[in-house]
Amino acid sequence: MELTYEPRIVGFLCNWCSYAGADLAGTSRTNYPANIRIIRVPCSGRVDPLFIVKAFQLGADGVLVAGCHPGDCHYSDGNYHTRRRVGLLRPFLDYLGLDKARLRLEWVSASEGKRFSEVVSSFTDTLIKMGPRSS
Amino acid sequence: MARVGVFICHCGTNISGAVDVARVVEAAQKMPMVVIASDNKYTCSEPGQASIRQAIVSNKLNRVVIAACSPRMHEPTFRKAVSAAGLNPYLLEIANIREQCSWVHSHDREKATAKAIELVKMAVAKVIRHEPLYPREVPVTKRALVIGGGITGIQAALDIANAGHEVVLLEQEPSIGGRMAQLDKTFPTLDCSACILTPKMVDVANHPKIRLLTYAEIKEVRGFVGNFKVEITQKARKVDYSKCTGCGTCWQKCPEKTPSEFDLGLGKRPSIYIPFAQAVPTKPVIDTDSCRYIKYRQWLAAGEQGKKPPECRICEKICPTGSIAWDQEPQTITEEFGAIVVATGFQVYDHRHYEEYGGGAYPDVISGMQLERLMNASGPTGGEIVRPSDGTHPKTVAFVCCVGSRDQAKGRTYCSKVCCMYTAKHAIMLKEHDPDVQCYIFYIDVRTGGKDYEEFYLRTLDDAGAIYIKGRPSKIYRDGKKMIVLGEDALMGRPIELAADLVVLATGMEPRTGADKLAQKLNISYNTYHFLVEAHPKLRPVETQTDGIFVAGACVGPRDIPESVAQGSAAAAKVAGLFSSDTLVTDPITSVVNRERCTGCLLCVAICPYKAIDCETTRDTRVVAVVNESLCKGCGLCVGACRPKAIDLRGFTSQQILEEVNSLWS
Amino acid sequence: MIETARYAYYPGCCSKASAKEYTATTRLVCKALGIELEESPDWICCGASSAHSIDRILGIALPAHELLYAGRMKLDLVASCALCFSRLKIAAAELKDDDVRKRVGEVLGQEIPGNPDYRVMHILQVLEKHLDRIHLEKPLKGLSVACYYGCLLGRPKEVAFDDAENPQVMDRVVAALGGEPVEWGFKAECCGGSHVFTRPDIVSKLSHRLLYQAKQAGADCLAVVCPVCHSNLDAMQKSIGKEYKEEVDLPAFYITQLVGLAAGLPPRKLMFEKLFVDPMRLLRAKGLA
């Protein structure tokens, strides 16, 4: 059973850095686990905490929010708001009976294709080690 | 009722090599609202696009999903195709099954196919919720504001005006000309700076399309590209320019003398003054800080306390046209513009921060710009290079490079770019003025990136016989009449003590004081040093994050004259491009407020990086947020911040994103 | 009634020899200001310039012994010698590193408490902090003082508490005593330090420059905060003068002696007789003795 467990990850990626980074991972043919489903948003600051909670409610094993590196936001400071919102949401996961590690916030630039694939690989790994959700 | 068509691309074998396209087609056919699903070898090719157009018409499709490469690649292409079939181009959604599927999961066909199916499912879920969107057109005011009357602003103003558009050139000082007007000669040609600059200043003054606003500052900026509304403060000159002829009698007779800003304190100027002889306009202003009569009036107003200042009024008595206007107050002028060019330039780093060099404390330790004034024939010494302390001619002159540049200890890490070259120029000029002068130049590196710059630097060594010493001095102190420079000759690895008659600190560039405040008013970015930030350092060097506002010259970073001029012209070309059409088309992907739901908390106003949200009062007197769609860039920050969920982002509505998530578990 | 301030005090080796008057007047002045100094009963050498140039861990372990004492006492640690201060404060900074703490613990044979916050102060900081307690019996009116900080108080910047090139603390203290600190550019230049034993020529060159510049700036005397600087500028002054064929005659006080003088403590207790350059003529001329 352990061996066939395939966690499902929802990824919210900002259009300008992380989505472009994910595209670059493709252009460079960098393989990573097929567990992530990517939703494109203009800015990581567009991600309403509600989206994250909804994904968990439906059964997501992990949620990845990825945006431009601090200081590089296409919209000048959207990712700072993301950082704060995710920071505020994280303690709330405890309350939902979820391990905080199931929500990951990463900065991936448009030139970091390799890093994007590493992020997805390591997140998938972590989730496999954690095993299926108990709640 | 939505009628969705799904078109899946093989991309040769790029997609079909890893994804079983036939299975994706089969799965798509069963998805809700899907009327037709088909595949294509190359969807982006003309036959591929034609088949989509045909399918739209024959199946009466009103939504389209294309599963192919990244939307960052071909979204515009496919929008056009959809539009050609009579559909609103925004009723399209792209499922990225190449970059984010086939190319990264080539090792597992089964999983890649399953993922591709889900990506299509998400796109279908989203596209059903798409609404037709329409770009808006806004009119363009074909009138430009150029802020800063230095060489960059002058060039920008002339180029915009020569393209046939009206320009207002705004300058905070009493004359245009900027820092270039203070220079004696320019490297590497040793052209006389004033000789090449002043004709351009006159051109500006005489150009029928240019209006000059000197001694004025920006008070407030509102609006957006094509439609800026700018409030300008015209400072009080205390001189009526409609009467003044610039005859010069007043500034010759004014008895009060105060240190001249233009000569960096080396010379004096009267209280009613033009900054320099070739000033444009050649009409004076009264400096209210030093004018005797102004002080007298202040003394009267303060209830005659303290010593009574003289009630001078000489300028008023001798002015042949009666132009002196003591009661003139600052005025606010409101003007409309379609574009703004910021060219506020730089100021010389204040060498008083270098206490270890005695900057500002020893009269014979001067800045490079002060030396320019000493060399200049119209400078305070009439071009005699003498020591400020005793008026003698220096024979041994030490230069210290990188003062206020490349120095972490002073919080200035950047290279100011021009100091190596102007120091070389100074060494050559000093030798020309007096063959007995020996120059010693303390440097870290000599940087000569520019046309004919290296050759010019070599002249410093070969013709002027300057001695370059590698190493930043640690201290400068006075010993009798000599200035002792303590340092290390880093190439020889030994300490060095040099007794000089005059020390010139090659001070670097920093943005004008207040550049940060101006940037805030314009809503453009600046860095830690307050240099303005361009939209892209390589590819959009004169644009900013705010449409319609351009930057040029040394306000963006250290620049020499040719670069500044080129940037002034570049910004002018951008403005001319903007003004080439009567209207602007704006992206319809913007935020929109549901006025019924809005509670008027206005968190969105504070969070918006583009100042695109304002508030207004409804008929039932509620305060609600309202989005200026011309300013909104569609980042969606406000949507996440809105507590009552009254704001949404077109093209990325909350419902659409939630449907995408939902589709993964339905 | 002034509340008593308490500090752990590290006198340093010089307090037993060349800088007896510095330590004595430090204690005297602190007592007069209601500052209590708790001296560790078993203090050892801070390692000075020798230890850390031979072995990094030794250079941290020696001052760490003293930091542990202050830590146990839960007091800020004060040093009067600039070099001791520098070593103590550098050690405190180095001990933030887990690995360093472990290795120093092995040397000292005891565990160094984790997450340490050892606060080290120089006597100048203490004096400035409690300046308002000084009752000026004898303001140093008309006395032009060249404040000499030496090279260690401002460098490296991790341990500095003032500007490296143009420090101001002592100038503020002297001004508060009613004296006139002179503007000069050599406040933080090296005096030659311990090279006096191996290369006296270097010391005489560097110290001569300091004395000469202080005089040029119009100083009547120097105020000093380091025993090594003091011996170079005071004890060596005569021989420097001989070498450069000029009489310098610039009394070099420890800052605590000046504070004591202004606070009206009897000159006898301020141990002016320990100074090589006799300051009495100057003090009498200024009406201060």
Side-chain angles (χ1 to χ4, degrees):
Chain A
M1 190 62 202
E2 277 293 298
L3 287 169
T4 57
Y5 168 58
E6 291 288 351
R8 283 167 72 78
I9 305 171
V10 178
F12 295 98
L13 270 55
C14 87
N15 179 49
W16 303 98
C17 291
S18 303
Y19 194 90
D23 276 357
L24 180 63
T27 325
S28 343
R29 310 293 200 279
T30 321
N31 270 306
Y32 55 81
N35 301 63
I36 189 166
R37 302 290 177 264
I38 292 167
I39 294 175
R40 181 165 74 124
V41 286
C43 175
S44 59
R46 170 67 187 94
V47 178
D48 192 320
L50 176 71
F51 303 161
I52 301 170
V53 175
K54 184 75 180 173
F56 281 127
Q57 187 199 357
L58 287 167
D61 297 291
V63 173
L64 170 70
V65 178
C68 311
H69 284 273
D72 289 345
C73 178
H74 181 80
Y75 303 103
S76 89
D77 56 7
N79 49 1
Y80 294 132
H81 294 281
T82 315
R83 185 161 65 184
R84 238 178 291 167
R85 284 175 191 162
V86 170
L88 284 171
L89 175 65
R90 208 185 288 282
F92 185 63
L93 295 184
D94 262 347
Y95 177 76
L96 297 179
L98 286 167
D99 194 313
K100 284 180 197 140
R102 290 190 184 273
L103 172 58
R104 200 176 265 206
L105 174 65
E106 292 282 352
W107 312 126
V108 178
S109 82
S111 60
E112 293 176 327
K114 191 156 178 290
R115 192 175 128 67
F116 179 76
S117 79
E118 284 164 5
V119 164
V120 176
S121 303
S122 87
F123 194 20
T124 310
D125 258 12
T126 308
L127 292 171
I128 289 175
K129 284 200 189 103
M130 288 168 75
R133 274 174 50 187
S134 53
S135 66
Chain B
M1 189 69 178
R3 294 176 63 82
V4 183
V6 181
F7 304 92
I8 296 137
C9 184
H10 289 250
C11 195
T13 56
N14 276 311
I15 291 170
S16 58
V19 170
D20 187 340
V21 173
R23 270 177 56 201
V24 181
V25 172
E26 196 187 323
Q29 277 163 347
K30 293 176 192 149
M31 291 177 193
M33 314 272 183
V34 172
V35 177
I36 176 182
S38 66
D39 58 336
N40 213 308
K41 195 90 178 152
Y42 290 104
T43 313
C44 58
S45 68
E46 179 42 38
Q49 292 189 38
S51 73
I52 293 177
R53 290 199 296 268
Q54 212 176 358
I56 291 172
V57 176
S58 54
N59 293 288
K60 298 197 176 64
L61 299 180
N62 56 18
R63 299 285 189 283
V64 173
V65 167
I66 294 172
C69 53
S70 171
R72 294 174 56 85
M73 183 89 186
H74 274 319
E75 196 170 52
T77 317
F78 292 134
R79 277 202 179 136
K80 269 186 212 147
V82 169
S83 178
L87 216 56
N88 182 288
Y90 293 90
L91 296 175
L92 163 80
E93 193 58 34
I94 290 181
N96 184 346
I97 61 166
R98 191 180 74 173
E99 280 85 346
Q100 296 182 4
C101 190
S102 70
W103 276 353
V104 285
H105 308 313
S106 54
H107 56 298
D108 192 333
R109 193 173 176 82
E110 192 52 43
K111 282 184 184 168
T113 306
K115 178 171 174 179
I117 291 170
E118 287 205 336
L119 291 175
V120 171
K121 210 167 154 192
M122 289 160 79
V124 170
K126 187 181 180 191
V127 84
I128 293 168
R129 303 281 179 184
H130 266 323
E131 294 287 334
L133 300 179
Y134 304 95
R136 279 180 351 120
E137 288 196 358
V138 292
V140 177
T141 307
K142 296 187 183 182
R143 198 154 174 272
L145 169 67
V146 177
I147 306 172
I151 184 59
T152 310
I154 288 172
Q155 186 66 41
L158 285 172
D159 287 350
I160 298 169
N162 287 338
H165 305 294
E166 274 181 53
V167 181
V168 168
L169 177 59
L170 181 133
E171 167 59 52
Q172 63 173 352
E173 291 176 17
S175 168
I176 57 169
R179 303 287 69 79
M180 190 177 166
Q182 290 175 286
L183 303 180
D184 180 42
K185 298 272 164 45
T186 57
F187 61 79
T189 50
L190 296 183
D191 278 317
C192 149
S193 188
C195 314
I196 55 179
L197 172 68
T198 47
K200 276 185 180 283
M201 291 164 61
V202 176
D203 286 350
V204 165
N206 295 337
H207 203 296
K209 292 268 183 193
I210 300 179
R211 201 173 120 218
L212 205 52
L213 276 183
T214 53
Y215 217 45
E217 286 171 348
I218 300 290
K219 189 176 171 194
E220 203 191 323
V221 179
R222 277 169 294 157
F224 50 91
V225 57
N227 299 274
F228 292 107
K229 204 169 237 178
V230 183
E231 281 185 26
I232 297 166
T233 305
Q234 171 67 64
K235 293 186 269 189
R237 302 171 169 124
K238 305 284 182 192
V239 175
D240 184 345
Y241 272 26
S242 64
K243 294 182 191 161
C244 176
T245 60
C247 70
T249 319
C250 57
W251 67 75
Q252 282 154 18
K253 301 287 185 197
C254 175
E256 183 63 35
K257 298 285 184 278
T258 194
S260 154
E261 298 85 358
F262 191 79
D263 287 334
L264 299 132
L266 291 173
K268 298 218 162 186
R269 63 155 172 85
S271 285
I272 183 163
Y273 73 108
I274 55 170
F276 53 103
Q278 305 98 319
V280 169
T282 327
K283 294 180 182 180
V285 298
I286 292 177
D287 161 24
T288 52
D289 289 334
S290 66
C291 171
R292 293 180 181 181
Y293 180 57
I294 300 276
K295 280 189 178 159
Y296 172 77
R297 282 161 61 114
Q298 286 162 352
W299 173 80
L300 279 184
E304 307 191 15
Q305 284 177 355
K307 198 170 157 260
K308 180 185 169 189
E311 193 188 338
C312 168
R313 297 176 87 162
I314 289 174
C315 50
E316 187 184 351
K317 282 166 204 149
I318 56 162
C319 177
T321 58
S323 311
I324 306 297
W326 298 114
D327 295 322
Q328 200 180 68
E329 291 298 324
Q331 281 181 324
T332 302
I333 310 163
T334 306
E335 298 269 348
E336 291 186 3
F337 301 101
I340 300 173
V341 176
V342 187
T344 48
F346 73 98
Q347 64 196 22
V348 174
Y349 182 83
D350 187 348
H351 61 295
R352 280 177 302 186
H353 295 306
Y354 278 78
E355 283 161 332
E356 61 271 37
Y357 293 167
Y362 300 129
D364 296 331
V365 175
I366 62 173
S367 72
M369 194 56 122
Q370 286 178 313
L371 182 61
E372 296 280 347
R373 296 313 302 150
L374 285 179
M375 282 181 170
N376 194 280
S378 59
T381 55
E384 285 275 312
I385 300 168
V386 294
R387 295 183 0 139
S389 65
D390 57 8
T392 58
H393 291 263
K395 297 297 173 191
T396 307
V397 180
F399 289 87
V400 180
C401 292
C402 299
V403 173
S405 309
R406 303 181 69 190
D407 192 347
Q408 279 185 334
K410 302 289 175 193
R412 285 281 187 280
T413 51
Y414 57 86
C415 166
S416 287
K417 212 170 180 179
V418 296
C419 330
C420 286
M421 289 307 295
Y422 80 60
T423 298
K425 175 186 75 180
H426 286 160
I428 292 174
M429 297 298 301
L430 278 170
K431 198 76 177 173
E432 271 180 22
H433 275 255
D434 180 354
D436 293 337
V437 167
Q438 175 63 55
C439 293
Y440 295 88
I441 299 170
F442 289 88
Y443 71 102
I444 305 179
D445 298 290
V446 179
R447 296 184 168 177
T448 60
K451 192 181 179 187
D452 296 331
Y453 286 8
E454 177 70 13
E455 292 83 344
F456 183 77
Y457 155 63
L458 292 177
R459 277 178 61 191
T460 318
L461 303 171
D462 300 340
D463 302 351
I467 294 172
Y468 276 76
I469 302 162
K470 191 174 174 79
R472 190 198 286 277
S474 61
K475 178 166 287 299
I476 296 169
Y477 64 97
R478 185 163 51 193
D479 187 5
K481 289 196 148 201
K482 293 280 188 185
M483 300 308 305
I484 312 293
V485 184
L486 286 186
E488 186 200 1
D489 185 332
L491 296 180
M492 302 293 280
R494 66 181 182 208
I496 186 163
E497 268 182 48
L498 177 76
D501 300 317
L502 182 69
V503 179
V504 183
L505 304 179
T507 39
M509 291 183 175
E510 64 180 15
R512 291 293 298 220
T513 304
D516 52 337
K517 297 277 179 314
L518 178 65
Q520 286 163 14
K521 286 176 192 165
L522 292 162
N523 196 31
I524 57 177
S525 313
Y526 52 92
N527 70 10
T528 50
Y529 305 113
H530 298 178
F531 281 119
L532 304 179
V533 174
E534 58 277 63
H536 190 281
K538 303 280 168 207
L539 303 177
R540 297 172 69 195
V542 296
E543 288 156 86
T544 65
Q545 292 276 13
T546 305
D547 288 342
I549 298 185
F550 304 95
V551 288
C555 59
V556 186
R559 309 256 185 273
D560 60 9
I561 294 169
E563 270 184 295
S564 301
V565 171
Q567 286 215 320
S569 288
K574 288 285 170 191
V575 172
L578 182 64
F579 289 176
S580 65
S581 55
D582 298 327
T583 56
L584 285 171
V585 178
T586 62
D587 189 346
I589 297 185
T590 60
S591 288
V592 57
V593 178
N594 179 335
R595 294 162 66 99
E596 301 311 313
R597 278 195 166 191
C598 178
T599 58
C601 72
L602 304 183
L603 262 184
C604 51
V605 175
I607 207 174
C608 177
Y610 301 98
K611 294 187 186 168
I613 309 182
D614 216 333
C615 59
E616 64 180 29
T617 312
T618 60
R619 259 182 289 177
D620 54 345
T621 69
R622 287 186 309 125
V623 173
V624 294
V626 55
V627 176
N628 181 333
E629 289 175 18
S630 305
L631 282 176
C632 177
K633 299 259 189 184
C635 65
L637 262 187
C638 52
V639 187
C642 182
R643 289 165 186 165
K645 306 281 169 221
I647 303 193
D648 219 335
L649 180 64
R650 294 189 176 111
F652 294 92
T653 64
S654 297
Q655 200 180 17
Q656 284 182 308
I657 296 173
L658 286 171
E659 287 298 344
E660 282 183 88
V661 178
N662 255 327
S663 70
L664 289 170
W665 279 276
S666 60
Chain C
M1 183 66 198
I2 304 170
E3 202 184 322
T4 313
R6 273 179 90 217
Y7 295 92
Y9 178 57
Y10 179 71
C13 307
C14 291
S15 67
K16 299 283 178 199
S18 68
K20 272 184 183 158
E21 68 272 37
Y22 191 16
T23 315
T25 52
T26 298
R27 291 182 194 288
L28 208 59
V29 162
C30 284
K31 200 173 165 201
L33 298 183
I35 301 166
E36 228 171 79
L37 299 179
E38 300 286 350
E39 183 178 329
S40 146
D42 62 344
W43 60 265
I44 55 172
C45 175
C46 71
S49 43
S50 325
H52 71 100
S53 46
I54 297 165
D55 183 275
R56 176 175 169 229
I57 292 299
L58 177 65
I60 301 166
L62 288 169
H65 175 269
E66 200 57 26
L67 293 172
L68 288 173
Y69 162 73
R72 283 195 301 274
M73 297 287 286
K74 296 194 171 31
L75 293 173
D76 290 1
L77 180 60
V78 178
S80 36
C81 165
L83 181 51
C84 299
F85 163 78
S86 176
R87 290 315 311 160
L88 290 167
K89 200 155 176 196
I90 287 173
E94 294 261 34
L95 284 176
K96 291 204 162 73
D97 183 277
D98 290 342
D99 185 47
V100 169
R101 222 169 36 245
K102 198 168 136 244
R103 290 174 62 191
V104 169
E106 281 163 15
V107 173
L108 291 179
Q110 68 180 102
E111 202 174 314
I112 316 275
N115 193 21
D117 187 17
Y118 302 116
R119 283 193 306 272
V120 179
M121 292 174 85
H122 187 262
I123 189 71
L124 268 179
Q125 289 171 285
V126 174
L127 288 174
E128 193 192 26
K129 191 172 165 190
H130 303 292
L131 264 182
D132 52 342
R133 298 182 172 195
I134 295 179
H135 182 65
L136 282 188
E137 288 284 336
K138 222 188 276 176
L140 307 180
K141 209 158 169 271
L143 189 67
S144 294
V145 184
C147 296
Y148 176 64
Y149 298 73
C151 48
L152 288 167
L153 287 187
R155 303 182 183 92
K157 72 168 184 278
E158 286 73 17
V159 305
F161 57 87
D162 204 345
D163 188 83
E165 302 292 348
N166 189 14
Q168 293 293 331
V169 189
M170 204 183 337
D171 293 65
R172 287 195 293 269
V173 171
V174 167
L177 300 177
E180 289 160 17
V182 301
E183 264 309 316
W184 68 312
F186 284 71
K187 291 175 180 179
E189 293 300 300
C190 182
C191 67
S194 57
H195 281 302
V196 68
F197 303 115
T198 47
R199 290 286 304 274
D201 56 318
I202 291 179
V203 171
S204 87
K205 185 180 171 195
L206 294 179
S207 290
H208 169 256
R209 201 171 64 193
L210 291 174
L211 294 164
Y212 175 77
Q213 285 293 328
K215 267 210 122 140
Q216 286 266 307
D220 300 320
C221 62
L222 288 162
V224 178
V225 287
C226 168
V228 179
C229 303
H230 188 264
S231 76
N232 284 343
L233 294 170
D234 179 47
M236 296 282 292
Q237 199 179 103
K238 205 162 183 187
S239 71
I240 290 171
K242 232 178 241 167
E243 193 178 332
Y244 286 86
K245 297 188 178 55
E246 61 187 38
E247 208 200 329
V248 189
D249 193 23
L250 202 61
F253 296 101
Y254 282 109
I255 184 67
T256 44
Q257 290 178 305
L258 289 179
V259 177
L261 185 65
L265 300 178
R268 182 173 42 81
K269 287 199 162 181
L270 296 172
M271 301 169 82
F272 290 134
E273 74 283 359
K274 290 275 289 176
L275 303 180
F276 280 74
V277 181
D278 182 14
M280 295 317 286
R281 199 156 49 110
L282 169 68
L283 294 181
R284 272 194 290 273
K286 298 288 176 185
L288 294 167

